[in-house]
Each structure stands twice: as C-alpha cells, then as structure tokens.
Amino acid sequence: MSTGLDAVYDELKRLQKEGLDRVYINDSTASLLKPIEPKVIPVKHISAQDTAALADLIDKPTPRAEPAKPTISVVEIEPLPEAPTIQLPDDAPIAQLKWLEESVQKCATCNERKNEDEQLVFGNGAIDADILFCGDAPGTDEAMSGLPFVGAAGQLLDKIIKAMGLDREKVYCTNLLKWRPKNDKPYGNRPPTQEEMAFCLPYLEAQIDIIQPKVIVALGNNTVGGLLGEETKRKFGSLRGQWDTFHDIPLMITFHPSYLQRNDTLKTKRMAWEDLLAVMGKVDLPISEKQQGYFLK
Ligand code: URA
C-alpha cells in the first residue's frame, strides 16, 4: 500500500521524468519536514588483508566512503527590496549594454547577496544575437569567472550551440539572477527563489530590450517560473517544447543543460534537440539532413 511519502516520492519522480530540474520548497513547507536520518547500513567486517587483496584484484584504489548525500536545504533569505527601475540612456545599443552592465556591477542588493569571493554574472555574447539563451542563475564556475555558462552545463550548451551550426559568440547567454544564490551547503547550487528572480528581472528585461533577439530559449523549469510565473514551474512537462512569448518575443521552453547531463538518454536528447530544431527554424537557420536526424536511432 502506498503511503503519503511514497505518493510524494512518485510525484517527484514523475516531475523529474518530465524535465523538472529542481524543486523549491518554501520555508513553511520545509518547516513541516523532518530532517532525514541517514540510514546506517551494517558493514561486514573485512580484514585489512582482504581489502588489500581486493584492491589488487580490481586494480583500483580501495574505495572511500561516499560523502553524505545532501538533504533538504533551507536558506534564510532576507526580504529583498523593490526591483530596480531601469531607464536606459538614449544611446547606441552598445553603450546601453555597457551602461546596464555597469549598473548591475554597482547594484547594492546584488553585491550584498553574492558570496564575498564571487562575482556578479551579467551575460555575454553578440549584441545583435538572434537567439538569447537564458538560465536561472550562475553556478560556482560562473560566479568565480563572472561569465555565464562556463561550467559543465555551459560546456554542454556550447556543444548544443555548435550542433545548431552556431558559435557562442553569435548568440547571447545570460541568467535571470545576476548573483549565485547563497547556499547553506559547501557544495551544489541552490535554485533561486521567485523573489530573487523577480528582483533581477528588470535587468534581464533591459538586456532583451537592447539585444532584441528573435527568439529567447528558456532553459529549465526555474527559468520558466522566473519568466512566466511560479505556477508554470510545475507544468514544465507540458510546456517544454512549446512556444510561448516573453515581451512579445517567441520563447522556446526547453530542458536545462544540467538536466540533460543528469538524464543522459537518447530520448531526452532528441526531445531537447527537437526544441532546438524549432528554434533554428524560427530564426531561419539552415537545417541539414544530418542535423534533422541527430539523436534518432
Ligand atoms: N546554470 C545556469 O542556469 N546558468 C549558468 O550560467 C550556469 C549554470
């Protein structure tokens, strides 16, 4: 018989299958959850001699204990001030983008919220890009370098962009949030909250205003939630692969590259690729037969 917890587990599994990247639990829900006690698995005694013999046999170092799996992370997030109002200078797009980047770098809230040793991540790419890729928030590698999508997920995004017949320099990459969300764990990235994304939204809107891409590609359910409203996060499975609009610009909703890394199957790759073929079609990029057939058996 399925318990309440089994049902939650099944639902989370279903959402994960649909492409939900991470699930944010608000403070009140989190306070109802008890911390998970780590399971103690009895270990059969193995002598030092046996361990050495085994290690020799498999020609690998003796395995070390796995670090403890993260449990639910709840970070106290101080209320944010009102989102900034952006009045772009009446200037050429390149000067506007420079002004905007300087404004972000000077933003008191962004600087207050970021980790001390990290940088804010504005975004980069072609100012006249047809395609703007948007993620939810920078990860560690991005916050260390100050550049978007340079870590493992970024490297996969690079490959995707190449497969589309483009280069990173021909597109624009950015995030909703301009700082890496503080995490109470020394590892991993915390998804940004709706409030955090709402604070930075005017910066993204101004970037879009300047660049005027033909298509925006929203990467992952958190990004979709930040762009289209929190309720859309849970509908990611049905929204993925569909066109929506953001500020009258066609918006393609697709998987986040970090989701693709964790769910590395031909089927998921093909689903993502079909979304990107649709993007290519929308911006009139040539599509070869070879490209049409990627990730088909
Ligand atoms: N994930 C994102 O959403 N953005 C980045 O820049 C890197 C990883």
Side-chain angles (χ1 to χ4, degrees):
M1 199 176 64
S2 181
T3 63
L5 210 55
D6 287 337
V8 172
Y9 180 78
D10 289 345
E11 177 61 5
L12 288 173
K13 279 299 232 196
R14 187 189 68 75
L15 291 172
Q16 187 191 30
K17 249 199 190 143
E18 284 196 340
L20 216 74
D21 200 20
R22 286 165 286 180
V23 175
Y24 177 69
I25 299 169
N26 66 19
D27 289 355
S28 60
T29 311
S31 67
L32 299 172
L33 297 169
K34 295 201 187 95
I36 299 163
E37 292 293 334
K39 259 195 195 154
V40 180
I41 301 162
V43 181
K44 243 172 99 188
H45 177 75
I46 300 171
S47 70
Q49 220 176 356
D50 288 342
T51 312
L54 270 174
D56 267 347
L57 201 65
I58 57 173
D59 198 25
K60 275 189 190 149
T62 314
R64 294 220 191 116
E66 283 277 312
K69 285 255 157 57
T71 50
I72 290 159
S73 153
V74 185
V75 185
E76 278 291 314
I77 299 159
E78 293 220 352
L80 284 145
E82 248 186 52
T85 308
I86 313 289
Q87 184 71 55
L88 288 174
D90 190 11
D91 214 331
I94 195 145
Q96 287 181 322
L97 201 61
K98 188 166 177 277
W99 176 90
L100 185 64
E101 178 159 12
E102 283 165 6
S103 306
V104 168
Q105 295 301 345
K106 283 190 282 199
C107 167
T109 304
C110 302
N111 280 290
E112 218 172 76
R113 301 294 164 127
K114 75 173 185 63
N115 288 285
E116 245 174 58
D117 55 343
E118 293 181 350
Q119 302 186 46
L120 297 173
V121 182
F122 178 70
N124 67 6
I127 193 162
D128 57 351
D130 282 348
I131 306 172
L132 183 146
F133 289 92
C134 186
D136 52 358
T140 319
D141 294 310
E142 289 74 23
M144 293 315 288
S145 63
L147 301 168
F149 287 103
V150 289
Q155 281 159 30
L156 178 55
L157 184 61
D158 279 353
K159 284 191 190 164
I160 293 170
I161 292 166
K162 278 230 159 69
M164 295 169 78
L166 294 167
D167 279 322
R168 255 304 270 266
E169 300 72 49
K170 292 246 163 69
V171 301
Y172 195 86
C173 295
T174 189
N175 288 293
L176 263 157
L177 204 68
K178 304 306 185 202
W179 67 84
R180 175 175 170 252
K182 276 191 187 161
N183 199 353
D184 63 350
K185 301 273 183 287
Y187 46 82
N189 295 314
R190 172 178 67 77
T193 64
Q194 281 300 118
E195 292 73 23
E196 287 173 320
M197 290 190 285
F199 178 84
C200 278
L201 190 62
Y203 291 134
L204 176 71
E205 288 170 330
Q207 281 171 302
I208 291 170
D209 236 24
I210 299 167
I211 295 162
Q212 294 184 14
K214 288 187 184 153
V215 167
I216 301 169
V217 182
L219 302 167
N221 67 304
N222 283 304
T223 308
V224 174
L227 293 174
L228 301 180
E230 185 161 28
E231 65 293 346
T232 58
K233 272 190 196 178
R234 280 170 216 98
K235 296 190 200 144
F236 187 77
S238 54
L239 295 177
R240 197 230 98 244
Q242 306 292 322
W243 287 105
D244 209 304
T245 53
F246 185 75
H247 289 232
D248 295 328
I249 296 171
L251 178 81
M252 172 49 76
I253 297 170
T254 193
F255 295 116
H256 194 285
S258 64
Y259 176 86
L260 293 173
Q261 285 175 317
R262 291 195 303 274
N263 297 273
D264 185 13
T265 65
L266 200 64
K267 187 177 165 210
T268 318
K269 283 188 215 172
R270 179 66 200 180
M271 285 162 84
W273 184 241
E274 281 178 11
D275 303 345
L276 295 158
L277 284 175
V279 169
M280 290 168 72
K282 191 69 109 185
V283 299
D284 296 323
L285 274 175
I287 303 177
S288 68
E289 245 180 71
K290 192 175 164 200
Q291 283 171 316
Q292 280 286 6
Y294 283 163
F295 310 116
L296 285 176
K297 270 180 210 145

